[in-house]
Amino acid sequence: MIYRQLALTTALVALTTPALADQIRVLNWNGYGTDEDWAIAAFAEATGVTVVHDYFNSEQELLTKLRTNPGAYDVVMINSAFTPQAREEGLIQPVDTSALANFADLAPNMATNADLTHEGAVYGVPWTWGLTALAVNADAFDDLPTSMEVLWDPDLAGRISIRDDALEAVQLAALATGQDINAIEDMDAVVERLAALMPQITTFWSSENDWNQFLAAGDFVVGSYWSGSAERAMGMGLPVAFVVPEEGAIGWLDGLSVATGSGNVEAAHAFIDWMIDPDFYVRWAEAGAPASANAAAAASLPEDSFNRAVLGDPEVVARVQFMQPVSDEDRRVYLELWQDLKAQ
Amino acid sequence: MALARRDIVQIAGLISPAYLWLTAAVFLPLSAMLYFSFLSSAPFDGSAPVFSLEHYQAFLDRPLYRGLLWKSIQLGLVVTVICVLVGFPCAWVLAKMIRGRWREALFLLVILPFWTNSLVRVFSWAILLRGNGILERGLDAVLPFDVSLNLMFSYPAVVIGLVHSYLPYVILTTYLSLQALDDSLIEAARSLGARWGTILWRIILPLAAPGIIAGAVLVFVPVVGSVLEPRILGGRAAGTFYGTVIEDQFTAVFNWPLGAALSFILLAVVLACLALTAPMLRKAQT
């Protein structure tokens, strides 16, 4: 309640105070990096620009706030799956990458991500990312698996789990059949692979808590999992190893954009550059952060940290396929085939 | 017989709280769901509601739903039969063979599951049934040979969880009708030379039938729509039933109209099942 009031107050302050030359307004999830007190303080000290935040609770709310309050925001955090929609609606403007000293260090496949760029212009600066790939019980393997084929390993029948989610199941099978997860052409192959996967599965998981419990109880040894969750599971002392298979992995990517009508484009660029700077990221990562899109930032982490050791490898980054928006029609098709498979 | 004005006021005063509550808590939400089930999509985004029968049509078009409904009915039958087979002897002992404080103590044990949250019950079963769980280790410690018992994530696990949850209904209803059974009828039959089998079949079962059937209905109806036990104990192999697919529509894919339509089809099927047992109940009561 207090948080909501605070958020409301900041929103009102953000909307009613006239845009000052030395102030920028940022729209993001609450508690997601940009509003770290120490970072804002350091930014204000370095540039003389104060940062004011407003928050959204869903991507729809984010788009609505941008539509209804033109000019109210300078920097917005948008998931790459929604960046094209924001761009088409004219809610964000191209970023001048020459103003970003750290832009050259960004992972190439993220900097040129098709959703964040349009006709050669950058509309979203890749900031953080994460994966859905495999996590295994490290005690159960002498050599960690490197391929998704481990899911279909007959020796592991009844010791596999994936999330009870149609989209994720279909995309995993698309990866296993060497397809583009955002443009699946051979649906029959996907269905066939999933049908063969079903007898391997002991149970589906639906939450991080589920996953950790099932693994600890020995219910499964290989499961699909999220990178951030795997990192937390390792932090809790579970014998978990996160595997990004050679076939690839499903990725999400968050970018920072400059809102249309921003009254302080220059400071907005400065703030984005501050956010993708290795110095900011290393300190943020100490408290637990997703992987950075900045290769130099990942390389500055301690050698044994998850985001460097597992996700920091450029080879790994290059294998990731980032998720694009999925049409309602595709969702319906995926759901129906998933239900049929589960009911067999 | 005309009721006096005072009687009418009295009756209205006594029953109106219950009926007002039922209207508010059952009838109104159900009506909203019935309305939803005839829409093409839930009108949450402010779009105008469009009348459609597509979700009822979906039940007919996709064999998935029919197959799952049949699977759920079978599950309901299996659980009900086990509950009756286990519950009847228990109710007999409670009603006829034990008196005094022991009966109270045993009753307490029967009702105990009602006092615990259903989620807690199901999760405690998960601990028991799991491979290398308490049950397996316990048996291993007692038995000389190696026991491998992993019932978790299987059909039997779902049945065990459901029987545990619903057995008390059968015991309580059967107990009530057995207690009303006059012992002298049994004595008379015995003195005339009837064997126990005959007595059970010709006297006890017919007289206890209302209680048994009432208990069976109380078990069958919720089991056909059960969600929790299949979800947690059934795993991949036995985790998908008609109830879980309905739940998916509400929580996972936000297709409320389809979920509502599937629920009303289930309601219709359950009512049909009850209609089939109604003549039996009436016969048993006369």
Side-chain angles (χ1 to χ4, degrees), chain A residues 26-43:
Chain A
V26 177
L27 184 59
N28 192 359
W29 302 101
N30 197 348
Y32 188 37
T34 57
D35 55 357
E36 297 281 344
D37 288 337
W38 53 266
I40 293 176
F43 182 71

PDB file of all heavy atoms in Angstrom, chain A residues 26-43:
ATOM      1  N   VAL A  26      12.229   8.606 -15.578  1.00  0.00           N
ATOM      2  CA  VAL A  26      12.462   7.248 -16.056  1.00  0.00           C
ATOM      3  C   VAL A  26      11.249   6.377 -15.729  1.00  0.00           C
ATOM      4  O   VAL A  26      10.684   6.466 -14.634  1.00  0.00           O
ATOM      5  CB  VAL A  26      13.727   6.635 -15.385  1.00  0.00           C
ATOM      6  CG1 VAL A  26      13.918   5.194 -15.832  1.00  0.00           C
ATOM      7  CG2 VAL A  26      14.944   7.479 -15.709  1.00  0.00           C
ATOM      8  N   LEU A  27      10.849   5.558 -16.698  1.00  0.00           N
ATOM      9  CA  LEU A  27       9.712   4.643 -16.506  1.00  0.00           C
ATOM     10  C   LEU A  27      10.231   3.210 -16.571  1.00  0.00           C
ATOM     11  O   LEU A  27      10.834   2.805 -17.570  1.00  0.00           O
ATOM     12  CB  LEU A  27       8.670   4.899 -17.602  1.00  0.00           C
ATOM     13  CG  LEU A  27       7.348   4.129 -17.560  1.00  0.00           C
ATOM     14  CD1 LEU A  27       6.597   4.396 -16.262  1.00  0.00           C
ATOM     15  CD2 LEU A  27       6.483   4.495 -18.751  1.00  0.00           C
ATOM     16  N   ASN A  28      10.013   2.431 -15.501  1.00  0.00           N
ATOM     17  CA  ASN A  28      10.593   1.084 -15.422  1.00  0.00           C
ATOM     18  C   ASN A  28       9.788   0.253 -14.419  1.00  0.00           C
ATOM     19  O   ASN A  28       8.888   0.766 -13.765  1.00  0.00           O
ATOM     20  CB  ASN A  28      12.064   1.196 -14.965  1.00  0.00           C
ATOM     21  CG  ASN A  28      12.831  -0.101 -15.121  1.00  0.00           C
ATOM     22  OD1 ASN A  28      12.291  -1.113 -15.547  1.00  0.00           O
ATOM     23  ND2 ASN A  28      14.105  -0.058 -14.776  1.00  0.00           N
ATOM     24  N   TRP A  29      10.107  -1.046 -14.315  1.00  0.00           N
ATOM     25  CA  TRP A  29       9.573  -1.851 -13.217  1.00  0.00           C
ATOM     26  C   TRP A  29      10.147  -1.304 -11.913  1.00  0.00           C
ATOM     27  O   TRP A  29      11.283  -0.818 -11.900  1.00  0.00           O
ATOM     28  CB  TRP A  29      10.018  -3.317 -13.314  1.00  0.00           C
ATOM     29  CG  TRP A  29       9.652  -4.031 -14.566  1.00  0.00           C
ATOM     30  CD1 TRP A  29      10.482  -4.268 -15.613  1.00  0.00           C
ATOM     31  CD2 TRP A  29       8.405  -4.644 -14.906  1.00  0.00           C
ATOM     32  NE1 TRP A  29       9.822  -4.967 -16.585  1.00  0.00           N
ATOM     33  CE2 TRP A  29       8.545  -5.215 -16.178  1.00  0.00           C
ATOM     34  CE3 TRP A  29       7.172  -4.762 -14.268  1.00  0.00           C
ATOM     35  CZ2 TRP A  29       7.516  -5.900 -16.822  1.00  0.00           C
ATOM     36  CZ3 TRP A  29       6.160  -5.427 -14.904  1.00  0.00           C
ATOM     37  CH2 TRP A  29       6.320  -5.990 -16.165  1.00  0.00           C
ATOM     38  N   ASN A  30       9.408  -1.438 -10.837  1.00  0.00           N
ATOM     39  CA  ASN A  30       9.911  -0.994  -9.543  1.00  0.00           C
ATOM     40  C   ASN A  30      11.067  -1.891  -9.092  1.00  0.00           C
ATOM     41  O   ASN A  30      10.981  -3.109  -9.171  1.00  0.00           O
ATOM     42  CB  ASN A  30       8.767  -1.063  -8.516  1.00  0.00           C
ATOM     43  CG  ASN A  30       9.069  -0.246  -7.278  1.00  0.00           C
ATOM     44  OD1 ASN A  30      10.208   0.190  -7.081  1.00  0.00           O
ATOM     45  ND2 ASN A  30       8.067  -0.025  -6.462  1.00  0.00           N
ATOM     46  N   GLY A  31      12.156  -1.268  -8.644  1.00  0.00           N
ATOM     47  CA  GLY A  31      13.282  -2.046  -8.113  1.00  0.00           C
ATOM     48  C   GLY A  31      14.088  -2.760  -9.171  1.00  0.00           C
ATOM     49  O   GLY A  31      14.714  -3.778  -8.887  1.00  0.00           O
ATOM     50  N   TYR A  32      14.057  -2.268 -10.393  1.00  0.00           N
ATOM     51  CA  TYR A  32      14.770  -2.967 -11.463  1.00  0.00           C
ATOM     52  C   TYR A  32      15.931  -2.111 -11.965  1.00  0.00           C
ATOM     53  O   TYR A  32      15.899  -1.568 -13.058  1.00  0.00           O
ATOM     54  CB  TYR A  32      13.779  -3.304 -12.581  1.00  0.00           C
ATOM     55  CG  TYR A  32      14.324  -4.204 -13.671  1.00  0.00           C
ATOM     56  CD1 TYR A  32      15.203  -5.243 -13.378  1.00  0.00           C
ATOM     57  CD2 TYR A  32      13.957  -4.024 -14.993  1.00  0.00           C
ATOM     58  CE1 TYR A  32      15.696  -6.075 -14.367  1.00  0.00           C
ATOM     59  CE2 TYR A  32      14.433  -4.855 -15.996  1.00  0.00           C
ATOM     60  CZ  TYR A  32      15.305  -5.867 -15.673  1.00  0.00           C
ATOM     61  OH  TYR A  32      15.795  -6.693 -16.669  1.00  0.00           O
ATOM     62  N   GLY A  33      16.959  -1.969 -11.139  1.00  0.00           N
ATOM     63  CA  GLY A  33      18.225  -1.400 -11.591  1.00  0.00           C
ATOM     64  C   GLY A  33      18.281   0.113 -11.685  1.00  0.00           C
ATOM     65  O   GLY A  33      19.071   0.748 -10.986  1.00  0.00           O
ATOM     66  N   THR A  34      17.423   0.705 -12.519  1.00  0.00           N
ATOM     67  CA  THR A  34      17.559   2.146 -12.762  1.00  0.00           C
ATOM     68  C   THR A  34      17.286   2.971 -11.515  1.00  0.00           C
ATOM     69  O   THR A  34      17.729   4.113 -11.433  1.00  0.00           O
ATOM     70  CB  THR A  34      16.575   2.625 -13.866  1.00  0.00           C
ATOM     71  OG1 THR A  34      15.256   2.277 -13.469  1.00  0.00           O
ATOM     72  CG2 THR A  34      16.897   1.976 -15.194  1.00  0.00           C
ATOM     73  N   ASP A  35      16.526   2.405 -10.552  1.00  0.00           N
ATOM     74  CA  ASP A  35      16.184   3.206  -9.371  1.00  0.00           C
ATOM     75  C   ASP A  35      17.048   2.853  -8.150  1.00  0.00           C
ATOM     76  O   ASP A  35      16.679   3.157  -7.023  1.00  0.00           O
ATOM     77  CB  ASP A  35      14.691   3.081  -9.033  1.00  0.00           C
ATOM     78  CG  ASP A  35      14.261   1.641  -8.845  1.00  0.00           C
ATOM     79  OD1 ASP A  35      15.102   0.737  -9.037  1.00  0.00           O
ATOM     80  OD2 ASP A  35      13.092   1.412  -8.516  1.00  0.00           O
ATOM     81  N   GLU A  36      18.204   2.235  -8.384  1.00  0.00           N
ATOM     82  CA  GLU A  36      19.139   2.020  -7.278  1.00  0.00           C
ATOM     83  C   GLU A  36      19.606   3.387  -6.770  1.00  0.00           C
ATOM     84  O   GLU A  36      20.123   4.201  -7.542  1.00  0.00           O
ATOM     85  CB  GLU A  36      20.357   1.204  -7.754  1.00  0.00           C
ATOM     86  CG  GLU A  36      20.059  -0.209  -8.234  1.00  0.00           C
ATOM     87  CD  GLU A  36      19.859  -1.191  -7.085  1.00  0.00           C
ATOM     88  OE1 GLU A  36      20.243  -0.852  -5.945  1.00  0.00           O
ATOM     89  OE2 GLU A  36      19.312  -2.279  -7.325  1.00  0.00           O
ATOM     90  N   ASP A  37      19.434   3.613  -5.463  1.00  0.00           N
ATOM     91  CA  ASP A  37      19.748   4.937  -4.889  1.00  0.00           C
ATOM     92  C   ASP A  37      21.187   5.378  -5.162  1.00  0.00           C
ATOM     93  O   ASP A  37      21.426   6.514  -5.567  1.00  0.00           O
ATOM     94  CB  ASP A  37      19.510   4.909  -3.368  1.00  0.00           C
ATOM     95  CG  ASP A  37      18.030   4.867  -3.052  1.00  0.00           C
ATOM     96  OD1 ASP A  37      17.245   5.294  -3.931  1.00  0.00           O
ATOM     97  OD2 ASP A  37      17.665   4.416  -1.963  1.00  0.00           O
ATOM     98  N   TRP A  38      22.113   4.436  -4.945  1.00  0.00           N
ATOM     99  CA  TRP A  38      23.525   4.807  -5.102  1.00  0.00           C
ATOM    100  C   TRP A  38      23.846   5.201  -6.540  1.00  0.00           C
ATOM    101  O   TRP A  38      24.644   6.086  -6.801  1.00  0.00           O
ATOM    102  CB  TRP A  38      24.431   3.672  -4.632  1.00  0.00           C
ATOM    103  CG  TRP A  38      24.114   2.335  -5.270  1.00  0.00           C
ATOM    104  CD1 TRP A  38      23.306   1.364  -4.759  1.00  0.00           C
ATOM    105  CD2 TRP A  38      24.600   1.840  -6.520  1.00  0.00           C
ATOM    106  NE1 TRP A  38      23.248   0.297  -5.619  1.00  0.00           N
ATOM    107  CE2 TRP A  38      24.032   0.563  -6.703  1.00  0.00           C
ATOM    108  CE3 TRP A  38      25.440   2.337  -7.519  1.00  0.00           C
ATOM    109  CZ2 TRP A  38      24.284  -0.217  -7.840  1.00  0.00           C
ATOM    110  CZ3 TRP A  38      25.702   1.558  -8.643  1.00  0.00           C
ATOM    111  CH2 TRP A  38      25.117   0.298  -8.791  1.00  0.00           C
ATOM    112  N   ALA A  39      23.152   4.519  -7.501  1.00  0.00           N
ATOM    113  CA  ALA A  39      23.425   4.822  -8.907  1.00  0.00           C
ATOM    114  C   ALA A  39      22.894   6.202  -9.276  1.00  0.00           C
ATOM    115  O   ALA A  39      23.564   6.981  -9.968  1.00  0.00           O
ATOM    116  CB  ALA A  39      22.792   3.753  -9.795  1.00  0.00           C
ATOM    117  N   ILE A  40      21.687   6.504  -8.788  1.00  0.00           N
ATOM    118  CA  ILE A  40      21.087   7.814  -9.086  1.00  0.00           C
ATOM    119  C   ILE A  40      21.919   8.930  -8.467  1.00  0.00           C
ATOM    120  O   ILE A  40      22.170   9.975  -9.091  1.00  0.00           O
ATOM    121  CB  ILE A  40      19.640   7.848  -8.540  1.00  0.00           C
ATOM    122  CG1 ILE A  40      18.774   6.867  -9.320  1.00  0.00           C
ATOM    123  CG2 ILE A  40      19.071   9.245  -8.641  1.00  0.00           C
ATOM    124  CD1 ILE A  40      17.360   6.758  -8.795  1.00  0.00           C
ATOM    125  N   ALA A  41      22.378   8.677  -7.232  1.00  0.00           N
ATOM    126  CA  ALA A  41      23.180   9.684  -6.540  1.00  0.00           C
ATOM    127  C   ALA A  41      24.485   9.943  -7.310  1.00  0.00           C
ATOM    128  O   ALA A  41      24.884  11.097  -7.533  1.00  0.00           O
ATOM    129  CB  ALA A  41      23.478   9.221  -5.115  1.00  0.00           C
ATOM    130  N   ALA A  42      25.124   8.853  -7.746  1.00  0.00           N
ATOM    131  CA  ALA A  42      26.390   9.004  -8.462  1.00  0.00           C
ATOM    132  C   ALA A  42      26.170   9.706  -9.799  1.00  0.00           C
ATOM    133  O   ALA A  42      26.987  10.537 -10.228  1.00  0.00           O
ATOM    134  CB  ALA A  42      27.033   7.630  -8.681  1.00  0.00           C
ATOM    135  N   PHE A  43      25.035   9.380 -10.448  1.00  0.00           N
ATOM    136  CA  PHE A  43      24.726  10.013 -11.732  1.00  0.00           C
ATOM    137  C   PHE A  43      24.504  11.513 -11.552  1.00  0.00           C
ATOM    138  O   PHE A  43      24.996  12.330 -12.342  1.00  0.00           O
ATOM    139  CB  PHE A  43      23.487   9.350 -12.347  1.00  0.00           C
ATOM    140  CG  PHE A  43      23.106   9.895 -13.690  1.00  0.00           C
ATOM    141  CD1 PHE A  43      23.890   9.633 -14.807  1.00  0.00           C
ATOM    142  CD2 PHE A  43      21.964  10.668 -13.851  1.00  0.00           C
ATOM    143  CE1 PHE A  43      23.547  10.141 -16.050  1.00  0.00           C
ATOM    144  CE2 PHE A  43      21.600  11.168 -15.095  1.00  0.00           C
ATOM    145  CZ  PHE A  43      22.410  10.904 -16.193  1.00  0.00           C
TER     146      PHE A  43
END
